[in-house]
Amino acid sequence: MEAELAALAASGATTLVGLMVSETWAQARDRVARFFARGGDESSVGEELRMSRQELMAARAARDELAGSDIEAVWRTRLRRVLLADPEAAEELRLVLAELDPDARNNPAGSVHNSISGGVQNGPVFQGQHFSGLTFGGSGAVPPEQGAGAV
């Protein structure tokens, strides 16, 4: 069970730090502060979140990945403590993450299987969900070593 909580805390911290540098942070901040305050003083948690965001923005501007990782680690540890102290917090955190994480809403988890078949492929292969405006500038000629008489 602790491994599951650790994974949830890691996922929560990653989402939290991602939200801190997003346009949706203003809306997410209050919801996150309520989760961490757990009925206590939301304003002090809000201040901690504000300071973490400030540090994260400065770290990103300075291209200091280590500082950004440290900030994420602080919130991962804090999330883990909340989850260990309150068994009901895990379900609440899952709900908060689903509510706030745009990737969770727009790209539900699932498995993907890709296969390319049918002989020699002479072109790029793109994997993704939405593509538009693609232009390919090849001549369409098959290289001689891959053509009809190739061995």
Side-chain angles (χ1 to χ4, degrees), residues 33-55:
R34 276 194 306 277
F35 172 80
F36 278 108
R38 321 250 344 117
D41 184 13
E42 286 181 37
S43 63
S44 67
V45 175
E47 181 62 19
E48 290 177 67
L49 290 166
R50 187 191 66 74
M51 291 180 69
S52 287
R53 182 178 191 268
Q54 232 175 10
E55 292 171 16

Side-chain angles (χ1 to χ4, degrees), residues 120-124 135-144 146-148:
V120 175
Q121 305 295 321
N122 293 304
T135 304
F136 301 97
S139 68
V142 176
Q146 295 179 358

Side-chain angles (χ1 to χ4, degrees), residues 2 26 28 68 70 80 95 106 126 145:
E2 187 163 330
D70 289 346
R80 190 169 171 272
L95 292 171
N106 297 330
F126 290 86
E145 66 276 3

Side-chain angles (χ1 to χ4, degrees), residues 16 24-37 42-43 45-47 49 92 96 99-100:
L16 174 61
T24 60
W25 176 242
Q27 294 85 19
R29 180 187 56 233
D30 293 338
R31 182 66 178 99
V32 171
R34 276 194 306 277
F35 172 80
F36 278 108
E42 286 181 37
S43 63
V45 175
E47 181 62 19
L49 290 166
E92 184 181 350
V96 169
E99 178 183 323
L100 298 177

Side-chain angles (χ1 to χ4, degrees), residues 12-127:
T14 301
T15 300
L16 174 61
V17 168
L19 286 167
M20 283 183 180
V21 295
S22 75
E23 294 177 10
T24 60
W25 176 242
Q27 294 85 19
R29 180 187 56 233
D30 293 338
R31 182 66 178 99
V32 171
R34 276 194 306 277
F35 172 80
F36 278 108
R38 321 250 344 117
D41 184 13
E42 286 181 37
S43 63
S44 67
V45 175
E47 181 62 19
E48 290 177 67
L49 290 166
R50 187 191 66 74
M51 291 180 69
S52 287
R53 182 178 191 268
Q54 232 175 10
E55 292 171 16
L56 185 60
M57 297 299 275
R60 293 250 170 135
R63 299 178 192 256
D64 184 354
E65 292 181 27
L66 184 58
S69 295
D70 289 346
I71 293 165
E72 186 173 328
V74 166
W75 288 102
R76 181 176 52 248
T77 300
R78 187 142 178 204
L79 276 169
R80 190 169 171 272
R81 287 181 182 150
V82 168
L83 295 173
L84 289 172
D86 183 357
E88 294 175 13
E91 186 57 33
E92 184 181 350
L93 179 58
R94 286 184 187 94
L95 292 171
V96 169
L97 293 176
E99 178 183 323
L100 298 177
D101 184 7
D103 288 334
R105 287 192 308 262
N106 297 330
N107 300 316
S111 63
V112 175
H113 174 78
N114 295 299
S115 64
I116 300 172
S117 61
V120 175
Q121 305 295 321
N122 293 304
V125 175
F126 290 86
Q127 292 180 256

